């Protein structure tokens, strides 16, 4: 095979081959970003097949967010070192974009799974179910008095979002510790949490949970906690872990607070008859 160009391409043919408009090629030529291989006697530009790979690389870098100025700087003095350096910089950017897309993906999957879950439950009924271990990201411990108001919760939400690199409104829940539950301080929140698909230092343990779906405004949730904890005692269970609040329907999904739906999961165990 002869490794040389035996045919040239017109501007239109080259544009069609690489999937851009002719105006894009004219513009890149004008700003000295990507120039044709030469001009014919009649003044028309022409390109070669050798240029296709170079142009495709340039377009890929543009799609990744590399600015025209950065590309011009690189192309003006190409060398292996600069190319590797640019690759490292773009890798960081791409990884951040991948994480953003993964968060968006998890967000929409959560909406779908929530609807599937709710098909099989009754509101205002306590379920005792075994739940699997799930890793979580946990906020810093709140002050001794916890988060007692929507304003305090919102401030912690904002801070926690930055802490975990939140790009989209992924589900963030609230955690009430075992001590808070036993003291019946249901007006407070001790931590914020978010489920993680990666292994972390914190987790929602595997085990039995008392599960209840609170319908209505958050200001009424204390009565739901009282109902669930009384149910746990009356049915011969004991609280052995934390409570996890998940906001299935909130202000993102409805404007009516009466339609808010909060899933409460409290880790429990069956007490022996001797206790």
């Amino acid at each position: 095979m002869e490794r040389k160009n035996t045919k040239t391409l017109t501007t239109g043919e080259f544009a069609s081959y690489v999937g851009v408009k002719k105006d894009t090629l004219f513009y890149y030529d004008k700003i000295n970003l990507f120039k044709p291989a030469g001009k014919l006697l009649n003044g028309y530009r022409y390109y070669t097949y050798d240029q296709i790979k170079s142009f495709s690389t340039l377009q890929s870098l543009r799609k990744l967010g590399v600015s025209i100025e950065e590309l011009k700087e690189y192309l003006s003095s190409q060398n292996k070192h600069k190319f590797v350096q640019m690759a490292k910089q773009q890798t960081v950017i791409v990884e951040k974009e991948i994480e953003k897309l993964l968060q968006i993906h998890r967000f929409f999957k959560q909406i779908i799974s929530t609807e599937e879950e709710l098909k099989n439950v009754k509101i205002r009924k306590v379920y005792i179910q075994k739940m699997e271990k799930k890793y979580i990201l946990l906020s810093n411990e709140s002050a001794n008095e916890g988060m007692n108001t929507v304003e305090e919760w919102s401030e912690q939400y904002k801070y926690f979002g930055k802490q975990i690199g939140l790009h989209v409104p992924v589900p963030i829940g609230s955690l009430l510790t075992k001590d808070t539950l036993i003291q019946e301080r249901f007006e407070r929140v001790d931590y914020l949490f978010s489920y993680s698909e990666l292994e972390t230092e914190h987790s929602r343990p595997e085990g039995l949970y008392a599960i209840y779906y609170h319908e209505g405004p958050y200001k009424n949730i204390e009565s739901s906690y009282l109902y669930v904890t009384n149910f746990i005692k009356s049915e011969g269970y004991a609280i052995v872990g934390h409570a996890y609040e998940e906001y299935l329907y909130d202000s993102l999904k409805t404007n009516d607070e009466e339609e808010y739906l909060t899933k409460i999961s409290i880790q429990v165990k069956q007490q022996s008859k001797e206790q």
Side-chain angles (χ1 to χ4, degrees), residues 19-219:
V20 299
K21 296 180 179 179
K22 288 197 296 183
D23 288 346
T24 300
L25 295 177
F26 292 148
Y27 176 65
Y28 283 180
D29 182 15
K30 181 180 178 180
I31 64 174
N32 294 317
L33 180 61
F34 187 86
K35 303 190 75 64
K39 288 185 179 181
L40 300 172
L41 294 176
N42 59 11
Y44 289 137
R45 300 170 175 84
Y46 68 86
Y47 296 82
T48 66
Y49 281 94
D50 281 345
Q51 291 180 285
I52 292 173
K53 184 175 181 181
S54 297
F55 188 85
S56 297
T57 301
L58 184 151
Q59 285 296 87
S60 296
L61 292 171
R62 287 290 292 130
K63 289 177 182 178
L64 293 175
V66 181
S67 70
I68 286 178
E69 290 304 315
E70 287 177 299
L71 285 172
K72 287 175 69 175
E73 182 183 348
Y74 165 70
L75 294 172
S76 67
S77 57
Q78 287 177 264
N79 61 66
K80 290 184 291 184
H81 174 72
K82 286 192 71 172
F83 190 76
V84 171
Q85 186 180 32
M86 182 169 61
K88 289 179 179 179
Q89 293 171 343
Q90 292 308 310
T91 297
V92 174
I93 294 172
V94 171
E95 286 174 348
K96 288 181 179 178
E97 191 65 23
I98 289 172
E99 177 56 31
K100 181 179 178 180
L101 291 173
L102 285 174
Q103 288 184 9
I104 294 172
H105 183 245
R106 288 195 291 267
F107 174 65
F108 287 121
K109 279 186 66 177
Q110 180 66 34
I111 292 174
I112 295 169
S113 66
T114 293
E115 291 305 305
E116 291 298 314
E117 176 183 346
L118 294 177
K119 289 179 181 178
N120 304 311
V121 302
K122 292 182 180 179
I123 309 302
R124 300 186 185 89
K125 177 181 177 180
V126 180
Y127 294 86
I128 301 294
Q129 293 180 355
K130 186 172 182 179
M131 298 176 72
E132 63 182 14
K133 176 180 178 179
K134 291 192 73 171
Y135 288 107
I136 61 174
L137 298 167
L138 199 63
S139 70
N140 295 328
E141 185 177 8
S142 57
N144 291 334
E145 293 305 312
M147 290 167 260
N148 300 306
T149 67
V150 173
E151 290 77 12
E152 291 172 343
W153 191 95
S154 298
E155 279 298 312
Q156 286 295 320
Y157 177 93
K158 182 179 178 181
Y159 178 79
F160 184 47
K162 291 182 179 178
Q163 178 185 335
I164 64 175
L166 181 64
H167 297 288
V168 295
V170 295
I172 288 181
S174 300
L175 185 151
L176 281 66
T177 65
K178 174 185 173 183
D179 289 341
T180 293
L181 295 173
I182 292 174
Q183 295 169 18
E184 296 188 354
R185 301 189 65 187
F186 307 132
E187 78 285 352
R188 63 177 277 156
V189 166
D190 297 297
Y191 297 90
L192 299 183
F193 77 94
S194 179
Y195 290 119
S196 173
E197 295 184 1
L198 301 176
E199 185 174 336
T200 65
E201 60 178 314
H202 302 289
S203 66
R204 185 197 69 190
E206 176 186 6
L208 281 181
Y209 285 80
I211 301 171
Y212 184 81
Y213 296 84
H214 167 77
E215 188 175 43
Y218 301 135
K219 64 182 179 181

